[in-house]
Amino acid sequence: MPNADHDRMSAPSEPTILIDHTGPLEGRVRVPGAKNSVLKLMAAALLTDGTSEITNVPRIVDVQIMGELLTSIGLEVLEHDGAVTIRQTGTLLTEVPEAPARRIRASINLLGPLVGRCGHIRVALPGGDDFGTRPIDLHLAALESMGATCVITEGILEVHAEALHGADIQFAFPSVGATENVVTAAVVADGTTTIRGAAREPEVVDLCNFLLSMGAQISGIGTATLVVEGCSYTSFGDVTHRVVPDRIQAATYIAAVGSTGGCVDMIDARANDMGMFLRRCEEMGLVFEAFDDEATGLRVEARQRLNAVDIQTLPYPGVATDYKPLIVAMLAVANGTSIVTENLYPGRFRYVEELVTLGAQIRMWEHHAEVTGVPRLSGGSVRAHDIRAGAAMVVAGLASQGPTVISGVGHIDRGYDDLVGRLRSIGAMINRVD
Ligand code: EPU
């Protein structure tokens, strides 16, 4: 690919992604396992004395960090051929090292399993994507109602529980992380826990199914009311589980096709997990068809320039906040003006100024963005500020006339398994420079 323009635009001292004008995308791409499931499954693996064999594991940095966290508290973690095997070594520590815990949001998912099994955790408040305050009050209030005591001092959370007991919990908001922490604590608490207003995301369902395979008792999976019967962790055994495919990565390939045109088969993509998002994409003009030949999955086709559509983010089954940067990147080259409203993280719009650098016409107020599509973006130098924002930069780069240089690639590596290679395999003019 021509590099002269890229050289003029940046002299990379950190990894960058370089993108040139890309025509329609064609071919097949496999959607890897979901980051937001595998990290929680790995944390929940500490509940059993048996062996956890987790397959369809994406090769991403966050999995390595979770592996490091588990190793440092006494588990054996082996990564091999897209799988992770986790075993106890005899000692389970409850003080989680601070530096890796601060690097990922999912470190907070050690809370439920460690307090449930060991009655204690000391862990730094979690890191992860920076798009405003991300409180954990719902996690803590629920654990307190189960008998735990929670104290936060200078950014370190310490939770004790002599013995957790079941409780009737009503969430004011269906928090994904809080639901996961309560479920992973409740499976080993004394008695029955009922969680009303539970999150219903496919990744929460995946975690519940993983726990069921381990021997836990949970009913109402996939609904807003989960009922968990506590058991002793000594009754839990080996578990083998395939991670649910990543709906946000699937959406990334959909957005890439939406902004460049073409037809791509996404092996393993599950339409059922993306219902509302796919409906909005159909309103924009994308066409979907399930396929089932030597592989199964979902075909996406863009036959013409997309139409503007108004969209707002909501908890599942609504359009997920994680799709939104991708949606805005698609709408930036659609025909007409769209209003996009963010209801989960009002501060999750940092990527907008980067899209504007690439020639997008976007006006912001409060938690809304008014996006007026242009036929093509211009290209330019931009930065990925978080995982999904990085993916949106890639989609916008594909939809640009001129070359695009993306820095902040480390964010993309946290959640995407070889995004560049997969896009190249379907015809994108994209390269990575390390
Ligand atoms: N909230 C509270 N109090 C709490 C917990 C959450 O007020 O105790 C609020 C949050 O401030 C936010 C909303 O509830 O406004 C949603 O938060 P939730 O707890 O559902 O999100 P999370 O568990 O922290 C996960 C994903 C995010 C994804 C959200 C929403 C992981 C590691 N992260 O975060 O994914 O955006 O659910 O679906 O699973 C990403 O993958 O790029 C990512 C950010």
Side-chain angles (χ1 to χ4, degrees), residues 35-36 40 105-106 129 131 133-139 173-178 180 201 321-322 344-345 348 387-388:
K35 165 183 87 78
N36 287 347
K40 325 308 177 56
R105 177 76 184 169
D129 294 325
F131 30 73
T133 30
R134 297 181 68 182
I136 54 164
D137 55 313
L138 297 173
H139 306 227
F173 184 89
S175 157
V176 170
E180 292 166 341
E201 273 70 0
T321 172
D322 294 346
L344 276 86
Y345 300 109
R348 196 174 195 177
I387 302 174
R388 313 300 171 192

Coordinates of all heavy atoms in Angstrom, one line a residue, residues 35-36 40 105-106 129 131 133-139 173-178 180 201 321-322 344-345 348 387-388, ligand 1:
K35 N -14.7 -10.8 24.5 CA -13.9 -10.3 25.6 C -14.7 -10.2 26.9 O -14.3 -10.6 28.0 CB -13.4 -8.9 25.3 CG -12.8 -8.1 26.5 CD -12.4 -6.7 26.1 CE -13.4 -5.6 26.1 NZ -13.8 -5.1 27.5
N36 N -15.9 -9.6 26.8 CA -16.7 -9.3 28.0 C -17.4 -10.6 28.6 O -18.0 -10.5 29.6 CB -17.7 -8.2 27.7 CG -17.0 -6.9 27.6 OD1 -15.9 -6.7 28.0 ND2 -17.7 -5.9 27.1
K40 N -14.8 -12.7 32.5 CA -15.7 -13.1 33.7 C -15.6 -14.6 33.9 O -15.7 -15.0 35.1 CB -17.2 -12.7 33.4 CG -17.4 -11.4 32.7 CD -16.7 -10.2 33.1 CE -16.9 -8.9 32.3 NZ -18.2 -8.5 32.1
R105 N -11.2 -3.2 33.6 CA -12.4 -3.1 34.3 C -12.8 -4.5 34.9 O -13.4 -4.5 36.0 CB -13.5 -2.7 33.3 CG -14.9 -2.6 33.9 CD -15.0 -1.3 34.7 NE -16.4 -1.3 35.4 CZ -16.7 -0.4 36.3 NH1 -15.8 0.5 36.7 NH2 -17.8 -0.4 36.8
A106 N -12.5 -5.5 34.2 CA -13.0 -6.9 34.7 C -12.3 -7.4 35.9 O -12.7 -8.4 36.5 CB -12.9 -7.9 33.5
D129 N -11.7 1.3 30.2 CA -11.9 2.4 29.4 C -12.3 3.6 30.2 O -13.1 3.5 31.2 CB -13.1 2.1 28.4 CG -12.7 1.0 27.5 OD1 -11.5 1.0 27.1 OD2 -13.5 0.2 27.1
F131 N -14.4 6.6 30.1 CA -15.5 7.5 29.6 C -16.4 8.0 30.7 O -17.6 7.9 30.6 CB -16.2 6.9 28.4 CG -16.4 5.4 28.4 CD1 -17.3 4.8 29.3 CD2 -15.7 4.6 27.5 CE1 -17.4 3.4 29.3 CE2 -15.8 3.2 27.5 CZ -16.7 2.6 28.4
T133 N -17.3 8.6 35.0 CA -17.4 7.8 36.3 C -18.0 6.5 36.0 O -19.0 6.4 35.3 CB -18.2 8.5 37.4 OG1 -19.2 9.3 36.7 CG2 -17.4 9.3 38.3
R134 N -17.4 5.5 36.6 CA -18.0 4.1 36.5 C -18.1 3.5 37.9 O -17.2 2.8 38.3 CB -17.1 3.3 35.5 CG -17.1 3.9 34.1 CD -16.3 3.1 33.1 NE -16.9 1.8 32.9 CZ -16.3 0.8 32.1 NH1 -15.2 1.1 31.5 NH2 -16.9 -0.3 31.9
P135 N -19.1 3.9 38.6 CA -19.2 3.5 40.0 C -19.5 2.0 40.2 O -19.8 1.3 39.2 CB -20.4 4.3 40.5 CG -21.2 4.7 39.3 CD -20.3 4.7 38.2
I136 N -19.2 1.5 41.4 CA -19.5 0.1 41.8 C -20.5 0.0 43.0 O -20.5 -1.0 43.7 CB -18.2 -0.7 42.0 CG1 -17.4 0.0 43.1 CG2 -17.4 -0.9 40.7 CD1 -16.3 -1.0 43.6
D137 N -21.2 1.1 43.2 CA -22.1 1.2 44.4 C -23.1 0.0 44.3 O -23.5 -0.6 45.4 CB -22.8 2.5 44.4 CG -23.6 2.9 43.1 OD1 -23.0 2.7 42.1 OD2 -24.7 3.3 43.2
L138 N -23.6 -0.4 43.1 CA -24.6 -1.4 43.1 C -24.0 -2.8 43.5 O -24.7 -3.6 44.1 CB -25.2 -1.5 41.7 CG -26.0 -0.3 41.2 CD1 -26.4 -0.4 39.7 CD2 -27.3 0.0 42.0
H139 N -22.8 -3.0 43.1 CA -22.1 -4.3 43.4 C -22.0 -4.3 45.0 O -22.3 -5.4 45.6 CB -20.6 -4.3 42.9 CG -20.4 -4.0 41.5 ND1 -19.6 -4.8 40.7 CD2 -20.9 -3.1 40.6 CE1 -19.6 -4.4 39.5 NE2 -20.4 -3.3 39.4
F173 N -30.8 -0.4 38.4 CA -30.3 -0.4 37.0 C -29.7 -1.7 36.7 O -29.0 -2.3 37.5 CB -29.3 0.8 36.8 CG -28.8 0.9 35.4 CD1 -29.5 1.8 34.5 CD2 -27.8 0.2 34.9 CE1 -29.1 1.9 33.2 CE2 -27.4 0.3 33.6 CZ -28.1 1.2 32.7
P174 N -30.0 -2.3 35.5 CA -29.5 -3.6 35.2 C -28.0 -3.6 34.9 O -27.6 -3.8 33.7 CB -30.3 -4.1 34.0 CG -30.7 -2.8 33.3 CD -30.8 -1.8 34.4
S175 N -27.1 -3.4 35.9 CA -25.7 -3.3 35.7 C -25.1 -4.7 35.4 O -25.4 -5.7 36.1 CB -25.0 -2.8 37.0 OG -23.7 -3.2 37.1
V176 N -24.3 -4.8 34.3 CA -23.7 -6.0 33.9 C -22.8 -6.5 35.0 O -22.9 -7.7 35.5 CB -22.9 -5.8 32.6 CG1 -22.1 -7.0 32.2 CG2 -23.9 -5.5 31.4
G177 N -21.9 -5.7 35.4 CA -20.8 -6.1 36.4 C -21.5 -6.5 37.7 O -21.1 -7.5 38.3
A178 N -22.4 -5.7 38.2 CA -23.0 -6.0 39.5 C -23.8 -7.3 39.4 O -23.7 -8.1 40.4 CB -24.0 -4.8 39.9
E180 N -23.1 -9.8 37.5 CA -22.2 -10.9 37.5 C -21.5 -11.1 38.9 O -21.4 -12.3 39.3 CB -21.1 -10.6 36.5 CG -21.6 -10.6 35.0 CD -20.7 -9.9 34.0 OE1 -19.8 -9.1 34.4 OE2 -20.9 -10.1 32.8
E201 N -27.6 -9.3 29.3 CA -26.7 -9.4 28.1 C -26.2 -10.8 27.8 O -26.1 -11.6 28.8 CB -25.4 -8.5 28.4 CG -25.5 -7.0 28.1 CD -26.4 -6.2 29.0 OE1 -27.1 -6.8 29.9 OE2 -26.6 -5.0 28.8
T321 N -24.3 0.3 24.3 CA -23.5 1.5 24.3 C -22.2 1.1 23.5 O -21.6 2.0 22.9 CB -23.1 2.0 25.7 OG1 -22.1 3.0 25.6 CG2 -22.7 0.9 26.6
D322 N -21.7 -0.1 23.6 CA -20.5 -0.5 22.9 C -20.6 -0.4 21.4 O -19.6 -0.4 20.7 CB -20.0 -1.9 23.3 CG -19.6 -1.9 24.8 OD1 -19.5 -0.9 25.4 OD2 -19.5 -3.1 25.3
L344 N -26.1 5.5 28.7 CA -25.4 4.7 29.8 C -24.2 5.5 30.3 O -24.0 5.6 31.5 CB -24.9 3.3 29.3 CG -26.1 2.3 29.4 CD1 -27.0 2.3 28.2 CD2 -25.5 0.9 29.6
Y345 N -23.4 6.0 29.4 CA -22.2 6.8 29.8 C -22.2 8.1 29.1 O -21.7 8.2 27.9 CB -20.9 6.0 29.4 CG -20.8 4.6 30.0 CD1 -20.9 3.5 29.2 CD2 -20.5 4.5 31.3 CE1 -20.8 2.2 29.8 CE2 -20.3 3.2 31.9 CZ -20.5 2.1 31.1 OH -20.4 0.9 31.6
R348 N -19.3 9.2 27.0 CA -18.7 8.3 26.0 C -18.8 8.9 24.6 O -19.5 8.4 23.7 CB -19.4 7.0 26.1 CG -18.6 5.9 25.4 CD -19.2 4.5 25.6 NE -18.2 3.5 25.2 CZ -18.4 2.2 25.3 NH1 -19.5 1.8 25.8 NH2 -17.5 1.4 24.9
I387 N -11.3 1.1 23.6 CA -11.3 0.0 22.6 C -12.3 0.2 21.5 O -11.9 0.1 20.3 CB -11.8 -1.3 23.4 CG1 -10.9 -1.6 24.5 CG2 -11.9 -2.5 22.4 CD1 -11.4 -2.8 25.4
R388 N -13.5 0.6 21.8 CA -14.6 0.7 20.7 C -14.3 2.0 19.9 O -14.7 2.0 18.8 CB -16.0 0.7 21.3 CG -16.2 -0.4 22.3 CD -16.0 -1.8 21.7 NE -16.1 -2.8 22.8 CZ -15.7 -4.1 22.6 NH1 -15.2 -4.5 21.5 NH2 -15.8 -4.9 23.6
Ligands
EPU1 N1 -23.5 1.7 37.2 C1 -23.8 2.4 38.4 N2 -23.4 1.7 39.6 C2 -22.8 0.5 39.6 C3 -22.6 -0.1 38.3 C4 -22.9 0.5 37.2 O1 -24.3 3.5 38.5 O2 -22.5 -0.1 40.6 C5 -23.9 2.4 36.0 C6 -22.7 2.8 35.2 O3 -22.1 4.0 35.6 C7 -23.2 2.9 33.8 C8 -24.3 1.8 33.8 O4 -24.6 1.5 35.1 O5 -23.9 4.1 33.6 C9 -23.8 0.5 33.1 O6 -22.7 -0.1 33.8 P1 -22.5 -1.7 33.8 O7 -22.2 -2.0 35.3 O8 -23.6 -2.4 33.2 O9 -21.2 -1.8 33.0 P2 -19.9 -2.6 33.3 O10 -20.2 -3.9 33.9 O11 -19.0 -1.7 34.0 C10 -19.7 -3.7 31.0 C11 -18.7 -3.8 29.8 C12 -18.7 -2.5 29.1 C13 -20.1 -2.2 28.6 C14 -21.1 -2.1 29.8 C15 -22.5 -1.9 29.3 C16 -17.1 -5.3 30.7 C17 -15.7 -5.6 31.2 N3 -17.4 -4.1 30.4 O12 -19.2 -2.7 31.9 O13 -17.8 -2.8 28.0 O14 -20.0 -0.9 28.0 O15 -21.0 -3.4 30.5 O16 -22.9 -2.8 28.5 O17 -17.9 -6.3 30.6 C18 -16.2 -2.5 26.3 O18 -16.1 -3.7 26.2 O19 -15.6 -1.6 25.6 C19 -16.9 -1.9 27.5 C20 -16.7 -0.7 28.0

